[in-house]
Amino acid sequence: MDCQNALIEGWVTSSQTYRKRAAFTLIASSVIHEKKLTDDMLDYYLGLIARYSDDGREHLKKAVSWALREISSNLLCPFRTFMHEIHPPILIMLRLRQPLFPF
């Protein structure tokens, strides 16, 4: 787990498309396969997504969307809190069934 987090932290700030995409993909994969994820770790992943998901590249949008889907399927209540407090525009777009990142 520590190795994964080190890779995620290193790649999420990259300017290279596929390296940054790999960070979000690794978040999604961790949420799927790591059975002992804590709420703190999910909050940490949501924080990374909130800080570094403002990129308009198509492959990154797909990876961010996948990571958010997996987190929301694991822990719906904290995810709703995250969406209401930190990202209300994304929540509105989800309700209106618009693309997450319209840029």
Side-chain angles (χ1 to χ4, degrees), residues 6-76:
L7 289 174
I8 290 169
E9 289 173 5
W11 292 346
V12 79
T13 58
S14 177
S15 63
Q16 298 175 356
T17 301
Y18 289 102
R19 188 166 286 183
K20 193 168 186 176
R21 178 180 184 235
F24 294 121
T25 303
L26 196 52
I27 289 172
S29 179
S30 296
V31 172
I32 292 169
H33 298 293
E34 187 64 41
K35 300 300 179 199
K36 296 182 181 179
L37 269 180
T38 63
D39 290 348
D40 291 338
M41 188 54 69
L42 289 173
D43 289 341
Y44 171 71
Y45 287 155
L46 285 171
L48 287 176
I49 292 169
R51 278 193 302 279
Y52 299 107
S53 64
D54 60 344
D55 196 310
R57 294 176 280 189
E58 190 66 28
H59 290 285
L60 293 176
K61 291 190 286 186
K62 288 180 181 183
V64 167
S65 179
W66 182 33
L68 287 172
R69 265 194 324 272
E70 294 306 328
I71 291 172
S72 69
S73 69
N74 251 13
L75 216 53
L76 199 52

Side-chain angles (χ1 to χ4, degrees), residues 56-99:
R57 294 176 280 189
E58 190 66 28
H59 290 285
L60 293 176
K61 291 190 286 186
K62 288 180 181 183
V64 167
S65 179
W66 182 33
L68 287 172
R69 265 194 324 272
E70 294 306 328
I71 291 172
S72 69
S73 69
N74 251 13
L75 216 53
L76 199 52
C77 290
F79 179 74
R80 285 187 180 149
T81 302
F82 166 77
M83 294 303 278
H84 283 288
E85 291 177 0
I86 299 175
H87 279 296
I90 292 177
L91 186 63
I92 291 167
M93 284 185 258
L94 288 173
R95 284 187 186 146
L96 299 175
R97 297 187 185 265
Q98 294 179 358

